[in-house]
Every structure is written in structure tokens, then in C-alpha cells.
Amino acid sequence: MKPYIRYSTAFAAMIALVAVPASMAATYYVATTGNDANPGTAASPFRNIQKGVNVAASGDSVLVAGGTYIEKVSWGSKSLSLAPSGSAAPVLDGGGAVTCMTLNNVPGTASIKGFTIQNGNGTLAYPYLGGGMALFHSSPAVSKCLFQSNQAGRGGGMYNEDSSPALTDCTFASNSVPLASTLPNGGAVYNDRTSLPHVNRCSFIGNYDADGGAGISTTGALVTATSCLFASNFGSAITNVSNALAVVTNCTFTGNGAYAIYNLNGGSDYRTTATVLNSIIWGNGGGILDDVIANGASFVNTSDIQGGFAGTGNINVDPQFIGGLNYRLQTTSPCVNKGNANAQNLPATDLDGAPRILGPAPDMGAYELWTAGTGAWFVDTSAGLDTNTGSPLAPFKTVVKAVGVAYAGNSVYVMQGNYGTDKPRITRFLHLRNWMNTGWARIGKP
């Protein structure tokens, strides 16, 4: 019997043990070619996502084929898993008339992955909350979703009330709060008495709020952001409205029309604070500022702040982005290896999914600089080429190639998948790791 390599992570294995047993959970399928009179099987799918959600019980999965679904989806209480059934992202479209998705009392074991959520409109019906998604007392894991061109009176892309969703690998682009009121209302995301345990590896680009809170606006809550990019938003990227705390680690703020982080303080009810670590704030309309510093404060360390800011390890030097819309760092950037490895909430990966520390210390900003000298190589059987460089953006296709170029002590990061007849011969000490904890990689067995 020929040997082969099969591995996952301890975490993934643990999830497999505690998940709902296969005999108890069901999977329902939805496709634009389906019919709601069908049984919802892979061969005879439903036509509408809402039908799948209605039929599914807690612990079940609803898999949706690529295509555009113009409907409003809502559910409560049940822990469901919504995901694509294939490689194409399903598009949930509000048609400019409704909130795309609304959740009430949905537990943290629920998940929504791989959807494009667009053209939602929360400005047409009371309470005018959440154009793309509105969460009430709900805490699902939302990952790999694109929120685009949604609008609302509060929370253009997403509104969270008494909810704690975990956002990972999501993009919020061109969402808006078009109507002026009295306070910033979150063009991309609004949090009301809620806590986001982790906004990780997310991008906020080109969002708008008539009152200036273009990115994330928060009242009465803690928000943490790691390895995130806030670029070209029409207003402030993060706004702490009232009794709010933002902890930002390894994020990049650039090209925003107003402040990177704005603490709105106007009295005893407006106590707000921001903590910024290992981040880059450069080329924004206002830099970083507290409105009334007596009622709120900003603590900034090991960050590159245009114009300077008091704190340990801060610098005031052009970060040397690659240029254009590419906010990764050049090899000559003064931000390389200048972060603090012991920073609060230091993320395990950067915005590309590469390990956060590729050198002697973490880089400032959302991206780690990769070079062959960092000793990390990346493999993806579905998207890589062996003529690539082996970087996170240009991975190899085979483990054989990565093992061939790696030196003793280097790490080879392998994306999930079946690598079939890919049979590396390992003759020196190497670390084989699961890339971004994506799941099983089956190597060397057809």
C-alpha cells in the first residue's frame, strides 16, 4: 500500500465530532431551474431560497446554486447553514425594494457563506434598518460574502441590533445611507448595542453615509477589526457614536473622505474610545481625531500615522503601497517588520490569508509582505500553477513543486482539496500546514 498524506486541523476534527450527526441533519438544494413544488433534493431542487429556509430544521443545510434570486429571505430561531452548492456564488438581490435577508433570534451556530447580497433597500419601510442584511438578537458566522449596492436608513450593507455576528473574508462595496439624519448611520455596517467579536480579513470600499459614517458606525458596543482594509469610503471609515469602543489591529485606512477613525463625543452620553495597533492610516481626509478628547481617547501604538500621533513605536512615513488600488507593501516599505508581535488581537493571517508574521515581526497594515526569503510557500490545486511564484496571490498547483523549492525549516501551506497523484518526496525537515484552516487536503492518493 502506497503512503499518502491526509490532514486537517484539530479544530476541524473537533467540529466534526460535535456537529449534528449526519443521520439527523438534512440538506436541501435550491436552483434557478428548480420548482418550489419539488422535494428540494440535488436532482429536484427548490426554486427559492426562502422555500429551502422554511422547510429546513435547525442543524440543516441549504445549498444554493449559482444564479440570481430576486427575493427577501428571513428566518428566526433555527440554526441553518446557507452556502453555495457549486463554485459560483449565488446572488441574493433585493430588487431595490426590500431588505435582502433578515434574521431574528438566530443562534451563533448558524452560518452564511459565499453569497453576493445586493440591491437591498431598507429605506422604504419602517424601521428603515439594514439594506443587505438586518440582524436582531442573532449571531451567525458570515463569511466570504459580498455586500454591494445596498442602502438603508441605518446600516446600508448590514444592521446589527443586540447581535454578535462574526464577519470573515467579506467585502462591503458601494453600500449607502443616502438620507441625512442627526448621527452617523453606517453606510456599510451599523452596530446598535451589539458586539462584533471579530471583523477579520474584510474590505470596506466606496461606501457612503450622508452623515459621514461611511464604514462601520457603532453605538453602545465593542467592535474589533483585524487585517481589514478601509479604502475610498465617502466619509469616516470607523465611527464610534456613543459609548462605543473600537479595537483595531493590523488594518489599513487610505483614501477615505474624512477620518479613518472618528470618536463622536458630545457629553457624558458620548464616551467613546479607539485603540489602534500595527495599522496604517495614510492619505485620508482627516487622519485620526477625537472630537472632544476629554470624553474619549485614542490609544495608538506601532502604527504609521500620517501627520504623526503620540504613542509607542509610531512612525510618520509614506508606507509605500504598491500603487493604484493595490495597498500591499513594497519591499522597501518602512512598515515591514515594524509591528508588535504581542499586540492585542494580533490576527493569525493577513488580508490575503497568509500567516500574519512572515518575518522577524509583523508588518503594519492589512498585508504581510511575502518574498521567497520568508520561507513560506503556498499551494492550491484548484487555482495554482507550478509556474507561479508560490506566494499567497500566485500559489503553486502541486505540493511536489513547493517541496522542491523549500529549504529545510520552511513552511508549505496547502489549500483544501484532493491533490490526487501529487506525491511529494520529502527529504528534509519541513512544516506542512493547512492554509487558513480551510479543511482536508488529500495528498498522494487518486
Side-chain angles (χ1 to χ4, degrees):
M1 178 175 163
K2 294 181 179 179
Y4 67 94
I5 300 169
R6 186 179 70 172
Y7 70 90
S8 184
T9 63
F11 178 75
M14 179 181 69
I15 291 297
L17 290 174
V18 301
V20 178
S23 60
M24 297 177 60
T27 299
Y28 296 95
Y29 294 84
V30 179
T32 57
T33 56
N35 189 306
D36 284 351
N38 287 343
T41 62
S44 299
F46 296 133
R47 171 61 182 86
N48 291 294
I49 301 171
Q50 186 65 58
K51 175 66 175 182
V53 166
N54 289 346
V55 172
S58 192
D60 290 350
S61 298
V62 179
L63 301 184
V64 184
T68 299
Y69 301 82
I70 301 178
E71 58 175 307
K72 178 178 181 177
V73 176
S74 62
W75 87 86
S77 302
K78 297 185 289 189
S79 175
L80 303 179
S81 173
L82 271 64
S85 60
S87 58
V91 178
L92 178 57
D93 193 307
V98 295
T99 296
C100 295
M101 186 177 292
T102 302
L103 277 64
N104 283 280
N105 297 302
V106 170
T109 49
S111 63
I112 302 163
K113 178 181 179 181
F115 279 77
T116 293
I117 299 174
Q118 66 182 30
N119 297 328
N121 194 332
T123 65
L124 300 178
Y126 181 82
Y128 315 113
L129 303 175
M133 187 179 292
L135 305 182
F136 302 92
H137 309 282
S138 299
S139 304
V142 182
S143 63
K144 297 184 183 299
C145 288
L146 168 62
F147 294 79
Q148 65 179 7
S149 303
N150 302 288
Q151 69 175 39
R154 178 168 284 181
M158 173 183 281
Y159 174 81
N160 302 307
E161 182 176 305
D162 292 317
S163 302
S164 299
L167 305 181
T168 306
D169 295 322
C170 291
T171 297
F172 291 81
S174 302
N175 301 284
S176 67
V177 173
L179 304 177
S181 60
T182 57
L183 293 172
N185 285 295
V189 177
Y190 191 91
N191 303 308
D192 189 2
R193 303 185 309 277
T194 183
S195 175
L196 287 172
H198 223 58
V199 183
N200 187 38
R201 297 198 306 261
C202 291
S203 297
F204 298 80
I205 302 170
N207 300 287
Y208 171 79
D209 174 17
D211 289 298
I216 300 174
S217 293
T218 301
T219 181
L222 162 68
V223 174
T224 64
T226 57
S227 291
C228 290
L229 171 66
F230 297 84
S232 302
N233 295 287
F234 297 89
S236 296
I238 294 179
T239 304
N240 297 319
V241 179
S242 176
N243 293 316
L245 169 64
V247 179
V248 175
T249 310
N250 281 104
C251 291
T252 295
F253 300 80
T254 186
N256 299 291
Y259 304 108
I261 300 173
Y262 188 81
N263 291 332
L264 180 61
N265 294 299
S268 60
D269 189 42
Y270 279 18
R271 294 181 295 273
T272 60
T273 303
T275 298
V276 181
L277 307 166
N278 292 1
S279 295
I280 298 173
I281 296 178
W282 199 269
N284 301 284
I288 182 166
L289 175 76
D290 283 48
D291 187 17
V292 180
I293 201 163
N295 292 327
S298 292
F299 304 97
V300 183
N301 292 316
T302 55
S303 295
D304 187 8
I305 310 296
Q306 187 173 19
F309 201 94
T312 302
N314 292 331
I315 61 175
N316 176 20
V317 187
D318 184 344
Q320 296 184 27
F321 298 129
I322 288 177
L325 299 178
N326 190 338
Y327 302 110
R328 296 171 183 84
L329 302 175
Q330 299 181 43
T331 57
T332 55
S333 169
C335 298
V336 174
N337 299 325
K338 293 297 177 63
N340 180 2
N342 296 313
Q344 181 180 356
N345 297 337
L346 182 75
T349 56
D350 75 351
L351 188 53
D352 286 329
R356 170 45 64 183
I357 303 179
L358 285 177
D363 299 341
M364 295 174 177
Y367 299 99
E368 284 282 297
L369 175 68
W370 178 90
T371 65
T374 58
W377 308 93
F378 298 83
V379 185
D380 187 344
T381 187
S382 62
L385 293 171
D386 280 351
T387 55
N388 284 345
T389 61
S391 72
L393 293 181
F396 295 134
K397 183 176 182 62
T398 66
V399 182
V400 167
K401 175 65 176 181
V403 168
V405 301
Y407 292 95
N410 283 185
S411 295
V412 176
Y413 292 84
V414 184
M415 187 65 71
Q416 68 176 2
N418 189 343
Y419 287 74
T421 57
D422 186 2
K423 298 179 180 179
R425 183 170 181 266
I426 302 174
T427 60
R428 53 197 173 280
F429 178 77
L430 298 173
H431 301 277
L432 260 66
R433 306 181 187 277
N434 190 286
W435 189 1
M436 290 194 295
N437 294 336
T438 49
W440 289 103
R442 189 181 182 97
I443 304 169
K445 184 175 182 179

